Amino acid sequence: MKKQIALATAAAMVLGLAACGSKPAETKPAETAAQAKTEAVTEAEAKETEPKETEGSAAAITFKLADNQADGTPNVSGDTKFAELVNEYTGGTVVVEIFPNGTLGDEASVADMLEADTLDIARISTNGISPSCDAFNVFGMPYVFPSDEIKYKALDGEFGQTLTAKLEEETGLINLAYFVSGPRSFYTTKKEIHSVADMAGLKLRAQDDAITIAMMEALGASATPMNYAEVYSALETGVVDGAENDFTSYYSSGHYEVAKYYSLDMHTAPSSLLVMSGGAWNSLSAEQQEQVRKAAAEAEAYQRTLVEDYIAESRQKVEEGGATIIEVDVAEFQNACQPVYDKFPQYNDLIALIPAE
């Protein structure tokens, strides 16, 4: 019995010693935590000092571009080309989203939004921008561009540069490009216009602006301001004797169906601007600004080519539809409009910048 007790006591002591011997293992979790903490610190420090490959791939700057015209028109096609080139030249760091069909508002609203920095970019006509910068009313002065070639030289030369500078100075807006449209001429329902004398007594639909009305009065016609959507019916029913527009609108509106006499007097040749708000422009780096300007210049050339083709196609379509195209002595019409130049002398300095033939 004593021998059994002795053996049990010895076993207990062995177990006790074994248990005591396991206590140092209790420090291992603390050592692991410290080691993990050290590793985490080291990893964080490494991240701080290693090259940040993802910095350049931060979210791209996205701009909205408004246009009141429809997909497929030369202007919206020009917008699209601009957006594609901006993405290409900036390596995707600047993205332009296009909103055609007036989805972001009419031109008056768009101009206000640009100045308020609530819209980034817009393709807007010279008529649409003129309330913000009066100098652009020069495009409404009659017979200042005797040909498309002269108009392009003017837009790309001192004339266009002066207007661009005035726009930035007076509004903070940045003009990136001059898009173009065809020259506007008169068309009538019954009486053909071959000379200024034929204008006498005609009641013509006019845009509601002082220069257009003054021009028609100087030529002997009566100006009737009217919403564009009402013109077809007014021509058809005889409310007006005629209207004025370029070949593309003459065709797309269907006006050639009810006013078949188109006289090529080419009294005005309005253009459009690709305008960026000051805030949007200043959000770009100097390099990105250079890339955006390059994209705009190439889109401008592309749009002009499209317009020339569009005008030729439209003219062919209206002639096939029975319209008669009448050549006139443009100089006679221009001379008759001297009272308009006298009434609006504030544009004489700009007109003087338009190159001669």
Side-chain angles (χ1 to χ4, degrees):
M1 183 68 176
K2 288 180 180 179
K3 184 177 180 179
Q4 291 175 343
I5 292 172
L7 289 171
T9 301
M13 289 175 67
V14 170
L15 289 172
L17 290 170
C20 290
S22 68
K23 289 212 178 211
E26 292 176 1
T27 64
K28 287 184 180 178
E31 291 172 355
T32 302
Q35 182 180 0
K37 182 176 180 181
T38 301
E39 291 173 353
V41 170
T42 302
E43 183 178 354
E45 290 174 345
K47 287 183 177 179
E48 286 293 325
T49 57
E50 70 182 4
K52 291 181 169 54
E53 298 178 356
T54 58
E55 280 187 350
S57 59
I61 300 173
T62 300
F63 292 139
K64 291 182 178 180
L65 189 163
D67 199 312
N68 67 346
Q69 293 194 354
D71 282 328
T73 58
N75 282 330
V76 176
S77 296
D79 299 338
T80 302
K81 174 62 72 173
F82 170 68
E84 292 171 352
L85 292 172
V86 166
N87 184 71
E88 176 184 345
Y89 293 151
T90 67
T93 62
V94 180
V95 175
V96 178
E97 297 178 347
I98 301 170
F99 295 82
N101 301 301
T103 53
L104 296 184
D106 59 18
E107 288 200 329
S109 301
V110 162
D112 289 341
M113 288 189 287
L114 285 170
E115 289 194 66
D117 273 328
T118 55
L119 176 66
D120 307 306
I121 313 172
R123 196 287 309 167
I124 186 168
S125 71
T126 50
N127 285 340
I129 204 68
S130 60
S132 300
C133 183
D134 180 74
F136 283 89
N137 278 311
V138 69
F139 286 91
M141 294 294 286
Y143 307 104
V144 295
F145 299 116
S147 67
D148 284 341
E149 291 75 21
I150 295 298
K151 178 176 67 176
Y152 292 169
K153 286 182 181 178
L155 294 177
D156 298 337
E158 188 177 2
F159 173 84
Q161 293 163 8
T162 300
L163 285 168
T164 293
K166 282 182 177 291
L167 181 68
E168 183 175 0
E169 178 184 347
E170 295 180 15
T171 67
L173 302 179
I174 307 298
N175 179 35
L176 300 173
Y178 284 104
F179 285 4
V180 299
S181 55
R184 298 171 75 98
S185 294
F186 295 112
Y187 48 90
T188 51
T189 57
K190 296 177 182 178
K191 183 181 179 181
E192 298 181 17
I193 299 173
H194 293 269
S195 66
V196 172
D198 295 326
M199 298 284 292
L202 289 176
K203 187 161 54 175
L204 302 176
R205 181 266 173 177
Q207 298 181 82
D208 192 10
D209 72 85
I211 297 177
T212 298
I213 293 171
M215 175 188 68
M216 289 187 178
E217 291 175 349
L219 293 170
S222 174
T224 303
M226 180 183 299
N227 186 291
Y228 188 66
E230 302 171 4
V231 177
Y232 187 100
S233 175
L235 290 166
E236 188 175 35
T237 59
V239 172
V240 293
D241 301 311
E244 54 86 41
N245 220 317
D246 61 20
F247 267 122
T248 57
S249 295
Y250 180 54
Y251 170 62
S252 63
S253 64
H255 291 179
Y256 73 97
E257 298 168 348
V258 289
K260 291 187 175 294
Y261 304 113
Y262 191 96
S263 297
L264 275 174
D265 73 295
M266 300 180 290
H267 46 265
T268 56
S271 297
S272 296
L273 291 77
L274 196 59
V275 182
M276 181 175 280
S277 73
W281 179 252
N282 291 329
S283 71
L284 299 173
S285 68
E287 183 181 11
Q288 288 172 325
Q289 289 176 351
E290 182 179 348
Q291 292 160 343
V292 167
R293 284 199 184 278
K294 180 181 178 183
E298 293 185 23
E300 176 187 83
Y302 175 76
Q303 190 270 349
R304 292 181 185 183
T305 300
L306 292 182
V307 165
E308 291 168 4
D309 293 341
Y310 208 58
I311 291 171
E313 181 180 349
S314 297
R315 176 170 179 166
Q316 180 182 344
K317 294 289 187 183
V318 299
E319 288 184 288
E320 290 173 353
T324 298
I325 311 302
I326 302 165
E327 300 282 349
V328 302
D329 179 3
V330 174
E332 181 198 4
F333 285 76
Q334 183 180 30
N335 292 335
C337 285
Q338 185 58 48
V340 183
Y341 309 135
D342 296 337
K343 188 173 182 178
F344 300 97
Q346 62 268 41
Y347 307 115
N348 288 346
D349 289 345
L350 284 167
I351 293 171
L353 298 178
I354 297 172
E357 288 280 2

